[in-house]
Amino acid sequence: MCLVRFLAGLTDPRDRRGRRFPLTALVAAAAAGVLAGARPLAAIAEWTADAPPWALRALGFTVDPFTRSVAVPHATTVMRLLGRLDGDAFDNVICAFLQARAHSRQSGESRRWRAVAVDGKQLRGSRAGGGKAVWLLAAMDHAGTVIAQRQIDAKSNETPAFIPLLDGLPLENTVVTADAAHTQHANGQWLRNHGAHYIAVVKGNHPGLLKLPWHDIGLDHKDRTRGRGRLEVRHLKTVAFRHLDYPGARQALRVMRWRMDLTSKKITIERLYFVTSLPPGAATGEQIAGWIRGHWKIENQLHHVRDTTFAEDASTTRTGSLPR
């Protein structure tokens, strides 16, 4: 699976008379430099300058017919190009590449359901004086593949970006998980209209669920895990309703979690409530519990990796599309 083929679909923002280097080669070299450990734009340019000729040719740079050498760009060239690229178009290209790559690996697998987590991330270093930092909303399937990303308007929040983020994606047999900020009637109705199901977090906006006789409802699933210095026990209960005040909701869920710190022996208890459009019997208690817990993979496998491995929050770049 070749990233360069997908990058060929990007629109070049440069004037035709000033294009010395191919767009795909510049962007592919930036990606390769970052994967090799380069962080600042100057370091990406240095990596490109030091790359062997065969690697530069593979990335798409051309060979001078007279000198037989491969010319490489200056750091300013890379910076100006990345700052002018259409962020939405670039995200669409990268997500299409990641999905195709994941599909080629899973071509022999057949799954009835696909779980997709939606969550936002702030690029802390992009905050200008008196301004707001860049905020991105991403959708990632629970297998770890990012399938969509959008930048949130500086004068808005995550909620209005939920539907535009998922619009155009194949959502049949998809279960969407998100935090309480996205438990909006319009979002639930839109997902059902497009063939998707949801597991929506419920807080004080549905007090009736909190007053149900949960102690009389049978246990659907329980699990026990130990790691990172703590012991966790989780119980899931589900109950079906004829009518819930949320579009397409068929079941109410409660997860009760006991967590013990193995060092201090302190125990904390947490109760979480959800509604889901999945009808009874469509998924097992183990599957539903796995999707609820798996939602936080977007924090561990995407946001955490971008901050710790790629030092995203440490970047103070603020120009154009560069932070994104």
Side-chain angles (χ1 to χ4, degrees):
M1 192 62 60
C2 181
L3 173 62
V4 174
R5 291 197 294 107
F6 288 83
L7 293 175
L10 285 174
T11 300
D12 197 328
R14 300 172 296 174
D15 188 279
R16 288 183 179 275
R17 293 172 295 179
R19 300 180 186 178
R20 183 183 176 189
F21 303 100
L23 171 70
T24 55
L26 290 171
V27 180
V34 170
L35 292 174
R39 296 295 174 265
L41 289 166
I44 293 174
E46 289 176 5
W47 180 89
T48 307
D50 294 338
W54 65 265
L56 296 174
R57 291 194 297 270
L59 291 170
F61 289 101
T62 57
V63 179
D64 188 295
F66 299 103
T67 65
R68 307 305 300 170
S69 63
V70 182
V72 295
H74 189 271
T76 304
T77 302
V78 179
M79 181 183 71
R80 287 175 177 171
L81 173 64
L82 297 180
R84 295 173 60 189
L85 277 179
D86 184 319
D88 286 337
F90 182 72
D91 277 340
N92 290 340
V93 165
I94 296 300
C95 291
F97 164 70
L98 294 174
Q99 290 184 77
R101 183 169 174 265
H103 180 72
S104 66
R105 291 183 172 186
Q106 300 169 357
S107 56
E109 299 179 10
S110 59
R111 294 181 297 173
R112 180 182 178 187
W113 299 109
R114 177 181 68 161
V116 171
V118 175
D119 195 35
K121 180 185 185 300
Q122 186 182 52
L123 312 185
R124 295 182 178 87
S126 66
R127 186 188 303 276
K132 185 177 180 181
V134 172
W135 197 288
L136 302 175
L137 185 66
M140 186 192 84
D141 69 27
H142 287 197
T145 301
V146 180
I147 60 175
Q149 181 175 266
R150 285 183 66 91
Q151 184 169 335
I152 298 170
D153 189 272
K155 298 181 180 179
S156 184
N157 54 42
E158 289 186 25
T159 304
F162 180 86
I163 292 176
L165 174 75
L166 299 176
D167 194 17
L169 296 176
L171 296 175
E172 290 290 334
N173 297 325
T174 297
V175 179
V176 177
T177 61
D179 60 25
H182 300 294
T183 305
Q184 307 289 331
H185 280 62
N187 294 345
Q189 188 64 61
W190 186 89
L191 288 172
R192 294 302 299 127
N193 291 344
H194 288 76
H197 287 279
Y198 58 79
I199 297 177
V201 180
V202 172
K203 291 192 175 179
N205 53 342
H206 288 79
L209 293 182
L210 312 183
K211 299 176 182 179
L212 289 174
W214 288 103
H215 58 279
D216 295 329
I217 298 172
L219 195 64
D220 267 350
H221 180 70
K222 63 179 179 179
D223 60 33
R224 175 190 179 101
T225 59
R226 182 181 181 129
R228 298 185 178 181
R230 64 192 183 197
L231 175 68
E232 281 193 8
V233 177
R234 290 173 293 274
H235 288 180
L236 170 69
K237 291 186 175 184
T238 67
V239 58
F241 275 85
R242 288 183 179 272
H243 175 71
L244 286 170
D245 186 23
Y246 197 76
R250 299 290 301 276
Q251 297 184 86
L253 318 172
R254 189 191 77 172
V255 173
M256 195 163 180
R257 181 168 60 201
W258 291 266
R259 178 181 295 167
M260 182 176 73
D261 186 290
L262 297 178
T263 301
S264 64
K265 303 302 181 183
K266 180 181 178 181
I267 297 176
T268 57
I269 302 175
E270 186 177 16
R271 295 175 178 84
L272 303 173
Y273 299 88
F274 307 83
V275 290
T276 180
S277 58
L278 290 164
T284 65
E286 182 179 4
Q287 284 178 307
I288 294 174
W291 292 331
I292 291 173
R293 191 177 178 203
H295 171 75
W296 300 110
K297 289 181 179 179
I298 195 170
E299 289 282 354
N300 299 329
Q301 297 183 12
L302 179 61
H303 302 336
H304 179 73
V305 170
R306 287 165 62 165
D307 283 341
T308 58
T309 304
F310 297 106
E312 186 172 73
D313 279 356
S315 173
T316 56
T317 304
R318 303 185 180 98
T319 306
S321 300
L322 280 174
R324 179 178 184 173

